[in-house]
């Protein structure tokens, strides 16, 4: 567990954002597979997870962009 936490702390904010977006995309792909090939309620759960991960990832990336723009103006 300590290795995971230290790995997460070493990542830059941009990589964290892309990691969340990647997780969201993989959840969305899993959701689509389950939706197409089964009638599983789990596809809805994966859809909500993918939306959450993508929103968090995009928020991190937009926060980085906004912070970078403010630094450029100084």
């Amino acid at each position: 567990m300590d290795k995971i936490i230290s790995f997460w702390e070493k990542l830059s904010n941009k990589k964290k954002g892309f990691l969340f977006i990647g997780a969201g995309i993989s959840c969305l792909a899993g959701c689509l597979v389950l939706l197409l090939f089964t009638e599983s309620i789990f596809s809805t759960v994966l859809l909500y997870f993918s939306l959450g991960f993508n929103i968090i990832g995009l928020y991190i990336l937009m926060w980085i962009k906004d912070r970078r723009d403010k630094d450029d103006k100084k």
Side-chain angles (χ1 to χ4, degrees):
M1 188 67 172
D2 290 336
K3 288 182 181 180
I4 294 172
I5 293 172
S6 66
F7 172 75
W8 183 257
E9 290 174 349
K10 290 178 185 176
L11 287 177
S12 68
N13 286 334
K14 191 172 188 178
K15 288 182 182 177
K16 287 179 187 176
F18 284 128
L19 190 66
F20 274 112
I21 291 176
I25 290 172
S26 65
C27 284
L28 186 62
C31 168
L32 291 175
V33 167
L34 283 175
L35 195 61
L36 291 175
F37 296 112
T38 66
E39 295 179 6
S40 174
I41 191 74
F42 193 64
S43 64
T44 307
V45 174
L46 276 179
L47 178 66
Y48 291 135
F49 275 124
S50 71
L51 289 174
F53 284 142
N54 284 320
I55 289 170
I56 291 170
L58 288 174
Y59 178 76
I60 290 172
L61 291 176
M62 293 303 290
W63 175 69
I64 292 170
K65 183 181 179 299
D66 185 48
R67 192 177 66 185
R68 192 177 331 151
D69 290 344
K70 287 181 182 177
D71 289 342
D72 289 344
K73 291 178 183 177
K74 289 183 180 178

